[in-house]
Amino acid sequence: MILKNEKLADDVFQSLRKEVLEQWPTGRAVDFEAAVKYQKEIPAAKRFSLKLDKADKEGATLIQPRAGVALPDEHIELLRFLETEGEADLLPSTIDSYTRHNRYKEAEVGIEESRTHHRSLLNGFPAVNHGVEVCRKVTSSVKSPVQVRHGTPDARLLTEISVAGGFTSYEGGGISYNIPYAKEHSLEKTIYDWQYCDRLIGLYEEAGVTINREPFGPLTGTLVPPCISNSVAVLESLLAAAQGVKHLTVGYGQCGNVIQDVAAIKSLRKVTEDFLREHGFGDVTVTTVLHQWMGGFPQDESKAFGVISWGAATAALAGATKVIVKTPHEAMGVPTKEANAAGLKATKQVVSMLADQNLLNLKEVNEEARIIEEEMRAILAATLEIGGGDFALGSVRAFAAGVIDVPFAPSKFNAGKILPARDMNGAVRLLDTGNLPFTDALKKFHKDKLEERGKAERRPVSFQMVVDDIYAIGKGHLVGHPQGGAR
Ligand code: 5AD
């Protein structure tokens, strides 16, 4: 197999499909024609991409939780609670870890044990085991659009069952669901498997069914420089569009400095739109999502609300189309439905109050966005070059060469050469740019920002800053100053 960023041929797709639908008995119930008919009967108000497009035109920021339990009735009750009590605009179905690893036998045991013990013994909703009919029951039992959210390197069967099951949005990508989640999965294979997922959604689009696609933005969620996660989002957008995807939501995980975060969302949208247009996909719609703080959370619930609210404010000020919401139970594990609704309501309050404000045209934001854009363009140009003009092959080679490099990623297909640290204002900079294809001016920009911090802290710029920054949040600070919160 030679990876290429080209639409999978029909015969290749159909022969793969036979194998995919045999992976678990529920696969046999997938009937594409019937699924298209079912999808077409879903009311417009429940179609994910339409609700996002409308919010985007109005400049509104929609709120969406994460949620998933093992059994269908409890899962439906949970989603209903989040849309009524929690005021969620968009709903999720978070998939359990066994399903993410294609371990359907173990998921089945988890379902049985959850029935016996009257509580969820899986950390999400096992959509593959439940199959098409149960998914339709879930998606038709709520008023809002529902998305599948997961973290699955080989998600082909899950995609088949989800879309046939009435979900109208689907998260993930061949890079973003590999590098931060897996150690041994080859990037070449996961990109190929995700071409299948995107081609399937392309087939639905061609049959008149719009399905929203969301590459997973935050990656490892720890000190990821915006240029890295944004470049991956652009690549996954191009890979998806080549398979016929028409509705994309590109994402970014909050880093904590509001100027940098607003600039990141601004440049993410702009460069994604530019690249799609320049590569012949000008008809694809682009919306954005900000993920509230993906790093460690305080145990204390009031403090957790502080973190949640800062994420909510950042999403509103960045004009993100939606925000993925954390809960006051984040430090503890899977939240109760009440804690989940509480995070949503705190977020709704902040987003509503900031509905008429944004920082998108602030001078400092424009300056920061210009730098992120320059970095992204350098990374994307080098990726295309190393791939001999192909973004799929280029992505594999760029990761191998460290042209794209995700900090703190478990994957052995990631170079792991760059080192991020925060500057004096908490913005994420690079202490070591590794093999990123940056100009000397860009390298100097990062160096100067960190030297400014070293001077203020009266210590040399070193790995210790990285360590201090990782621990800072646990102590209630963004920047790991040696003297604590003060400069
Ligand atoms: N319900 C709610 N939140 C979940 N997360 C993972 N699984 C679930 C679930 N079943 C959340 C984690 C973390 C994020 C990556 O996903 O708490 O915030």
Side-chain angles (χ1 to χ4, degrees):
M1 177 247 304
I2 294 178
L3 200 61
K4 269 193 168 157
N5 188 30
E6 281 174 8
K7 195 174 271 188
L8 290 185
D10 285 345
D11 56 334
V12 173
F13 179 80
Q14 292 305 340
S15 86
L16 287 171
R17 185 167 217 196
K18 282 204 184 76
E19 280 169 44
V20 168
L21 297 180
E22 287 297 319
Q23 286 172 357
W24 189 253
T26 51
R28 288 182 212 132
V30 175
D31 171 340
F32 181 74
E33 306 299 330
V36 167
K37 193 164 168 284
Y38 183 85
Q39 277 276 354
K40 283 189 172 167
E41 282 163 12
I42 295 174
K46 286 183 61 175
R47 197 153 283 290
F48 221 94
S49 52
L50 297 182
K51 192 155 181 180
L52 283 170
D53 288 346
K54 183 167 176 283
D56 211 47
K57 281 196 191 82
E58 292 166 356
T61 300
L62 303 178
I63 68 170
Q64 183 181 7
R66 295 184 175 89
V69 288
L71 302 178
D73 289 346
E74 285 73 6
H75 186 60
I76 290 169
E77 188 191 327
L78 171 61
L79 296 187
R80 283 185 170 156
F81 187 84
L82 296 176
E83 74 178 346
T84 52
E85 291 302 309
E87 302 173 31
D89 300 304
L90 300 165
L91 290 172
S93 285
T94 301
I95 304 300
D96 69 292
S97 299
Y98 287 133
T99 303
R100 295 177 186 206
H101 291 102
N102 313 102
R103 287 158 62 174
Y104 309 119
K105 282 197 182 98
E106 283 143 295
E108 199 64 37
V109 173
I111 293 169
E112 289 314 315
E113 289 185 341
S114 301
R115 288 214 168 92
T116 317
H117 293 87
H118 302 290
R119 69 184 178 94
S120 180
L121 294 176
L122 293 176
N123 62 357
F125 180 73
V128 168
N129 290 64
H130 287 316
V132 174
E133 281 309 317
V134 173
C135 286
R136 286 183 184 175
K137 192 171 170 217
V138 169
T139 52
S140 61
S141 294
V142 290
K143 295 192 181 69
S144 314
V146 203
Q147 177 188 43
V148 167
R149 303 189 65 85
H150 49 129
T152 312
D154 177 2
R156 295 173 297 172
L157 181 57
L158 179 62
T159 314
E160 290 276 8
I161 287 177
S162 303
V163 184
F167 288 93
T168 56
S169 175
Y170 197 74
E171 194 193 25
I175 305 169
S176 62
Y177 271 5
N178 175 345
I179 301 296
Y181 285 97
K183 196 172 161 189
E184 307 282 347
H185 281 77
S186 98
L187 191 54
E188 195 173 10
K189 173 79 165 76
T190 56
I191 290 178
Y192 187 61
D193 288 345
W194 274 87
Q195 285 182 322
Y196 179 100
C197 302
D198 285 326
R199 183 67 204 115
L200 177 63
I201 288 170
L203 287 172
Y204 277 96
E205 290 285 353
E206 287 152 24
V209 174
T210 65
I211 303 292
N212 171 257
R213 276 278 293 116
E214 178 188 339
F216 175 62
L219 302 178
T220 54
T222 307
L223 296 174
V224 180
C227 67
I228 299 290
S229 47
N230 281 3
S231 296
V232 171
V234 173
L235 289 170
E236 289 193 341
S237 296
L238 291 166
L239 294 172
Q243 303 304 326
V245 167
K246 297 288 178 201
H247 301 274
L248 283 159
T249 302
V250 280
Y252 167 76
Q254 179 193 14
C255 282
N257 170 286
V258 70
I259 302 288
Q260 185 176 46
D261 287 339
V262 174
I265 291 280
K266 182 169 179 164
S267 55
L268 174 61
R269 180 190 287 261
K270 176 167 186 289
V271 181
T272 305
E273 284 175 346
D274 285 353
F275 268 74
L276 284 171
R277 196 179 339 97
E278 284 160 21
H279 291 86
F281 307 113
D283 60 337
V284 173
T285 68
V286 177
T287 49
T288 58
V289 50
L290 182 126
H291 293 245
Q292 291 179 351
W293 187 255
M294 292 291 280
F297 250 69
Q299 294 266 348
D300 182 281
E301 294 194 15
S302 299
K303 290 184 178 182
F305 278 117
V307 180
I308 289 166
S309 301
W310 183 222
T314 302
L317 294 172
T321 322
K322 71 171 186 178
V323 53
I324 301 289
V325 175
K326 287 277 181 170
T327 82
H329 284 179
E330 176 61 23
M332 276 75 85
V334 175
T336 60
K337 62 183 193 307
E338 290 79 13
N340 211 331
L344 284 164
K345 281 190 283 185
T347 300
K348 184 56 96 40
Q349 178 68 21
V350 175
V351 163
S352 307
M353 287 184 77
L354 293 178
D356 305 296
Q357 301 178 49
N358 71 60
L359 298 179
L360 287 162
N361 293 315
L362 208 65
K363 184 169 140 285
E364 291 83 351
V365 166
N366 283 329
E367 177 57 14
E368 190 71 39
R370 191 190 62 72
I371 288 162
I372 299 171
E373 187 174 332
E374 192 183 329
E375 294 169 337
M376 288 170 73
R377 288 187 186 278
I379 291 170
L380 292 164
T383 302
L384 191 60
E385 195 189 332
I386 205 172
D390 187 277
F391 278 116
L393 196 55
S395 296
V396 175
R397 291 180 179 163
F399 269 91
V403 161
I404 310 174
D405 199 345
V406 178
F408 314 111
S411 172
K412 68 177 191 192
F413 296 90
N414 182 67
K417 285 196 163 77
I418 66 167
L419 265 187
R422 295 187 185 277
D423 70 12
M424 275 309 279
N425 301 314
V428 175
R429 306 298 180 195
L430 286 160
L431 196 150
D432 189 335
T433 54
N435 291 340
L436 298 183
F438 282 5
T439 58
D440 288 344
L442 281 175
K443 287 181 188 164
K444 184 173 181 304
F445 171 80
H446 285 269
K447 193 161 178 275
D448 289 351
K449 286 285 182 190
L450 290 172
E451 273 174 5
E452 192 180 285
R453 172 173 170 189
K455 211 177 272 170
E457 293 178 348
R458 281 184 230 97
R459 61 170 172 172
V461 175
S462 79
F463 184 66
Q464 190 58 43
M465 282 182 181
V466 187
V467 176
D468 292 343
D469 286 346
I470 289 169
Y471 286 108
I473 196 71
K475 300 174 187 165
H477 307 295
L478 189 61
V479 186
H481 297 302
Q483 55 279 67
R487 290 178 180 183

